[in-house]
Amino acid sequence: KNDISVQYALSLGDFDEGGGKLCVEEGPFAVRAVDTRGRLACLDGRFPHWVSGYVGERYSVIFYRSSGEADPPVQAIHEV
């Protein structure tokens, strides 16, 4: 609700390989699973998103902007 631009996401912890990916709806019939384990990903959090299933402990660090002029939500995933 307070997200007005892209966000940067990073996941940390002891969780199974292949799980805990950040899934983002890029369009009505397109979902991309982004591996944020130990690496930054840039996405627009105003697009629907969730974390795929995993086993273990997973922590997320999210950086986002909540003030200033809002950027229009044009695409879901951005290059870092």
Side-chain angles (χ1 to χ4, degrees), residues 11-20 37-38 54-60:
S11 63
L12 305 165
D14 184 20
F15 56 97
D16 60 331
E17 285 290 325
R37 182 190 192 112
Y54 62 91
V55 175
E57 289 189 351
R58 181 185 182 279
Y59 303 93
S60 297

PDB file of all heavy atoms in Angstrom, residues 11-20 37-38 54-60:
ATOM      1  N   SER A  11      16.747 -12.544   0.007  1.00  0.00           N
ATOM      2  CA  SER A  11      16.351 -13.532   1.011  1.00  0.00           C
ATOM      3  C   SER A  11      17.594 -14.198   1.598  1.00  0.00           C
ATOM      4  O   SER A  11      18.598 -14.401   0.911  1.00  0.00           O
ATOM      5  CB  SER A  11      15.404 -14.579   0.418  1.00  0.00           C
ATOM      6  OG  SER A  11      16.018 -15.318  -0.603  1.00  0.00           O
ATOM      7  N   LEU A  12      17.497 -14.492   2.870  1.00  0.00           N
ATOM      8  CA  LEU A  12      18.591 -15.096   3.634  1.00  0.00           C
ATOM      9  C   LEU A  12      18.033 -16.213   4.483  1.00  0.00           C
ATOM     10  O   LEU A  12      16.830 -16.261   4.744  1.00  0.00           O
ATOM     11  CB  LEU A  12      19.236 -14.039   4.542  1.00  0.00           C
ATOM     12  CG  LEU A  12      19.740 -12.768   3.865  1.00  0.00           C
ATOM     13  CD1 LEU A  12      20.003 -11.696   4.898  1.00  0.00           C
ATOM     14  CD2 LEU A  12      20.976 -13.070   3.053  1.00  0.00           C
ATOM     15  N   GLY A  13      18.881 -17.090   4.939  1.00  0.00           N
ATOM     16  CA  GLY A  13      18.451 -18.121   5.865  1.00  0.00           C
ATOM     17  C   GLY A  13      18.856 -19.504   5.415  1.00  0.00           C
ATOM     18  O   GLY A  13      19.498 -19.696   4.383  1.00  0.00           O
ATOM     19  N   ASP A  14      18.459 -20.476   6.217  1.00  0.00           N
ATOM     20  CA  ASP A  14      18.767 -21.876   5.961  1.00  0.00           C
ATOM     21  C   ASP A  14      17.500 -22.557   5.464  1.00  0.00           C
ATOM     22  O   ASP A  14      16.738 -23.121   6.247  1.00  0.00           O
ATOM     23  CB  ASP A  14      19.281 -22.525   7.250  1.00  0.00           C
ATOM     24  CG  ASP A  14      19.707 -23.961   7.045  1.00  0.00           C
ATOM     25  OD1 ASP A  14      19.974 -24.346   5.887  1.00  0.00           O
ATOM     26  OD2 ASP A  14      19.765 -24.696   8.043  1.00  0.00           O
ATOM     27  N   PHE A  15      17.251 -22.460   4.160  1.00  0.00           N
ATOM     28  CA  PHE A  15      16.076 -23.099   3.573  1.00  0.00           C
ATOM     29  C   PHE A  15      16.498 -23.888   2.346  1.00  0.00           C
ATOM     30  O   PHE A  15      17.552 -23.663   1.772  1.00  0.00           O
ATOM     31  CB  PHE A  15      14.971 -22.083   3.244  1.00  0.00           C
ATOM     32  CG  PHE A  15      15.373 -20.961   2.338  1.00  0.00           C
ATOM     33  CD1 PHE A  15      15.107 -21.020   0.976  1.00  0.00           C
ATOM     34  CD2 PHE A  15      15.999 -19.826   2.832  1.00  0.00           C
ATOM     35  CE1 PHE A  15      15.460 -19.976   0.138  1.00  0.00           C
ATOM     36  CE2 PHE A  15      16.354 -18.779   2.006  1.00  0.00           C
ATOM     37  CZ  PHE A  15      16.079 -18.863   0.643  1.00  0.00           C
ATOM     38  N   ASP A  16      15.659 -24.840   1.965  1.00  0.00           N
ATOM     39  CA  ASP A  16      16.017 -25.788   0.909  1.00  0.00           C
ATOM     40  C   ASP A  16      16.304 -25.116  -0.437  1.00  0.00           C
ATOM     41  O   ASP A  16      15.709 -24.114  -0.784  1.00  0.00           O
ATOM     42  CB  ASP A  16      14.931 -26.857   0.751  1.00  0.00           C
ATOM     43  CG  ASP A  16      13.570 -26.284   0.395  1.00  0.00           C
ATOM     44  OD1 ASP A  16      13.279 -25.132   0.778  1.00  0.00           O
ATOM     45  OD2 ASP A  16      12.798 -26.992  -0.271  1.00  0.00           O
ATOM     46  N   GLU A  17      17.256 -25.715  -1.178  1.00  0.00           N
ATOM     47  CA  GLU A  17      17.598 -25.248  -2.526  1.00  0.00           C
ATOM     48  C   GLU A  17      16.370 -25.391  -3.418  1.00  0.00           C
ATOM     49  O   GLU A  17      15.649 -26.375  -3.341  1.00  0.00           O
ATOM     50  CB  GLU A  17      18.733 -26.091  -3.112  1.00  0.00           C
ATOM     51  CG  GLU A  17      20.090 -25.786  -2.538  1.00  0.00           C
ATOM     52  CD  GLU A  17      20.628 -24.430  -2.959  1.00  0.00           C
ATOM     53  OE1 GLU A  17      20.381 -23.983  -4.091  1.00  0.00           O
ATOM     54  OE2 GLU A  17      21.306 -23.822  -2.117  1.00  0.00           O
ATOM     55  N   GLY A  18      16.149 -24.407  -4.260  1.00  0.00           N
ATOM     56  CA  GLY A  18      15.045 -24.462  -5.205  1.00  0.00           C
ATOM     57  C   GLY A  18      13.735 -23.940  -4.653  1.00  0.00           C
ATOM     58  O   GLY A  18      12.821 -23.668  -5.408  1.00  0.00           O
ATOM     59  N   GLY A  19      13.626 -23.796  -3.358  1.00  0.00           N
ATOM     60  CA  GLY A  19      12.401 -23.282  -2.744  1.00  0.00           C
ATOM     61  C   GLY A  19      12.567 -21.834  -2.344  1.00  0.00           C
ATOM     62  O   GLY A  19      13.636 -21.254  -2.451  1.00  0.00           O
ATOM     63  N   GLY A  20      11.491 -21.234  -1.885  1.00  0.00           N
ATOM     64  CA  GLY A  20      11.539 -19.865  -1.379  1.00  0.00           C
ATOM     65  C   GLY A  20      11.786 -18.817  -2.440  1.00  0.00           C
ATOM     66  O   GLY A  20      12.307 -17.749  -2.140  1.00  0.00           O
ATOM     67  N   ARG A  37      17.765 -15.748  -3.172  1.00  0.00           N
ATOM     68  CA  ARG A  37      18.612 -16.325  -2.119  1.00  0.00           C
ATOM     69  C   ARG A  37      20.035 -15.765  -2.242  1.00  0.00           C
ATOM     70  O   ARG A  37      20.769 -16.079  -3.170  1.00  0.00           O
ATOM     71  CB  ARG A  37      18.639 -17.845  -2.256  1.00  0.00           C
ATOM     72  CG  ARG A  37      19.445 -18.534  -1.195  1.00  0.00           C
ATOM     73  CD  ARG A  37      19.596 -20.006  -1.568  1.00  0.00           C
ATOM     74  NE  ARG A  37      20.119 -20.733  -0.444  1.00  0.00           N
ATOM     75  CZ  ARG A  37      19.459 -21.636   0.245  1.00  0.00           C
ATOM     76  NH1 ARG A  37      18.242 -21.973  -0.102  1.00  0.00           N
ATOM     77  NH2 ARG A  37      20.016 -22.224   1.266  1.00  0.00           N
ATOM     78  N   GLY A  38      20.409 -14.894  -1.316  1.00  0.00           N
ATOM     79  CA  GLY A  38      21.744 -14.316  -1.296  1.00  0.00           C
ATOM     80  C   GLY A  38      22.020 -13.335  -2.425  1.00  0.00           C
ATOM     81  O   GLY A  38      23.166 -13.007  -2.679  1.00  0.00           O
ATOM     82  N   TYR A  54       8.822 -23.645   0.726  1.00  0.00           N
ATOM     83  CA  TYR A  54      10.194 -23.979   1.118  1.00  0.00           C
ATOM     84  C   TYR A  54      10.175 -24.666   2.468  1.00  0.00           C
ATOM     85  O   TYR A  54       9.174 -24.598   3.193  1.00  0.00           O
ATOM     86  CB  TYR A  54      11.084 -22.726   1.170  1.00  0.00           C
ATOM     87  CG  TYR A  54      10.627 -21.708   2.183  1.00  0.00           C
ATOM     88  CD1 TYR A  54      11.110 -21.725   3.485  1.00  0.00           C
ATOM     89  CD2 TYR A  54       9.692 -20.743   1.848  1.00  0.00           C
ATOM     90  CE1 TYR A  54      10.678 -20.801   4.430  1.00  0.00           C
ATOM     91  CE2 TYR A  54       9.253 -19.817   2.772  1.00  0.00           C
ATOM     92  CZ  TYR A  54       9.739 -19.855   4.053  1.00  0.00           C
ATOM     93  OH  TYR A  54       9.304 -18.942   4.989  1.00  0.00           O
ATOM     94  N   VAL A  55      11.280 -25.308   2.805  1.00  0.00           N
ATOM     95  CA  VAL A  55      11.456 -25.943   4.106  1.00  0.00           C
ATOM     96  C   VAL A  55      12.652 -25.291   4.767  1.00  0.00           C
ATOM     97  O   VAL A  55      13.703 -25.132   4.142  1.00  0.00           O
ATOM     98  CB  VAL A  55      11.687 -27.465   3.954  1.00  0.00           C
ATOM     99  CG1 VAL A  55      11.994 -28.099   5.302  1.00  0.00           C
ATOM    100  CG2 VAL A  55      10.484 -28.128   3.306  1.00  0.00           C
ATOM    101  N   GLY A  56      12.506 -24.889   6.026  1.00  0.00           N
ATOM    102  CA  GLY A  56      13.590 -24.257   6.762  1.00  0.00           C
ATOM    103  C   GLY A  56      13.215 -22.848   7.192  1.00  0.00           C
ATOM    104  O   GLY A  56      12.043 -22.497   7.227  1.00  0.00           O
ATOM    105  N   GLU A  57      14.232 -22.062   7.519  1.00  0.00           N
ATOM    106  CA  GLU A  57      14.007 -20.675   7.937  1.00  0.00           C
ATOM    107  C   GLU A  57      14.424 -19.741   6.813  1.00  0.00           C
ATOM    108  O   GLU A  57      15.535 -19.845   6.286  1.00  0.00           O
ATOM    109  CB  GLU A  57      14.805 -20.359   9.197  1.00  0.00           C
ATOM    110  CG  GLU A  57      14.262 -21.044  10.423  1.00  0.00           C
ATOM    111  CD  GLU A  57      14.941 -20.550  11.690  1.00  0.00           C
ATOM    112  OE1 GLU A  57      15.943 -19.815  11.607  1.00  0.00           O
ATOM    113  OE2 GLU A  57      14.456 -20.900  12.770  1.00  0.00           O
ATOM    114  N   ARG A  58      13.541 -18.820   6.447  1.00  0.00           N
ATOM    115  CA  ARG A  58      13.806 -17.878   5.359  1.00  0.00           C
ATOM    116  C   ARG A  58      13.450 -16.479   5.855  1.00  0.00           C
ATOM    117  O   ARG A  58      12.396 -16.272   6.438  1.00  0.00           O
ATOM    118  CB  ARG A  58      12.959 -18.222   4.139  1.00  0.00           C
ATOM    119  CG  ARG A  58      13.187 -17.313   2.953  1.00  0.00           C
ATOM    120  CD  ARG A  58      12.211 -17.660   1.832  1.00  0.00           C
ATOM    121  NE  ARG A  58      12.414 -16.850   0.657  1.00  0.00           N
ATOM    122  CZ  ARG A  58      11.954 -15.611   0.510  1.00  0.00           C
ATOM    123  NH1 ARG A  58      11.255 -15.034   1.472  1.00  0.00           N
ATOM    124  NH2 ARG A  58      12.188 -14.951  -0.600  1.00  0.00           N
ATOM    125  N   TYR A  59      14.347 -15.539   5.617  1.00  0.00           N
ATOM    126  CA  TYR A  59      14.141 -14.152   6.005  1.00  0.00           C
ATOM    127  C   TYR A  59      14.232 -13.279   4.758  1.00  0.00           C
ATOM    128  O   TYR A  59      15.028 -13.559   3.861  1.00  0.00           O
ATOM    129  CB  TYR A  59      15.209 -13.704   7.013  1.00  0.00           C
ATOM    130  CG  TYR A  59      15.241 -14.572   8.240  1.00  0.00           C
ATOM    131  CD1 TYR A  59      16.106 -15.656   8.320  1.00  0.00           C
ATOM    132  CD2 TYR A  59      14.382 -14.325   9.300  1.00  0.00           C
ATOM    133  CE1 TYR A  59      16.121 -16.475   9.436  1.00  0.00           C
ATOM    134  CE2 TYR A  59      14.394 -15.135  10.422  1.00  0.00           C
ATOM    135  CZ  TYR A  59      15.264 -16.206  10.482  1.00  0.00           C
ATOM    136  OH  TYR A  59      15.270 -17.015  11.585  1.00  0.00           O
ATOM    137  N   SER A  60      13.432 -12.260   4.698  1.00  0.00           N
ATOM    138  CA  SER A  60      13.445 -11.328   3.564  1.00  0.00           C
ATOM    139  C   SER A  60      13.878  -9.953   4.026  1.00  0.00           C
ATOM    140  O   SER A  60      13.449  -9.482   5.086  1.00  0.00           O
ATOM    141  CB  SER A  60      12.050 -11.200   2.944  1.00  0.00           C
ATOM    142  OG  SER A  60      11.626 -12.417   2.424  1.00  0.00           O
TER     143      SER A  60
END
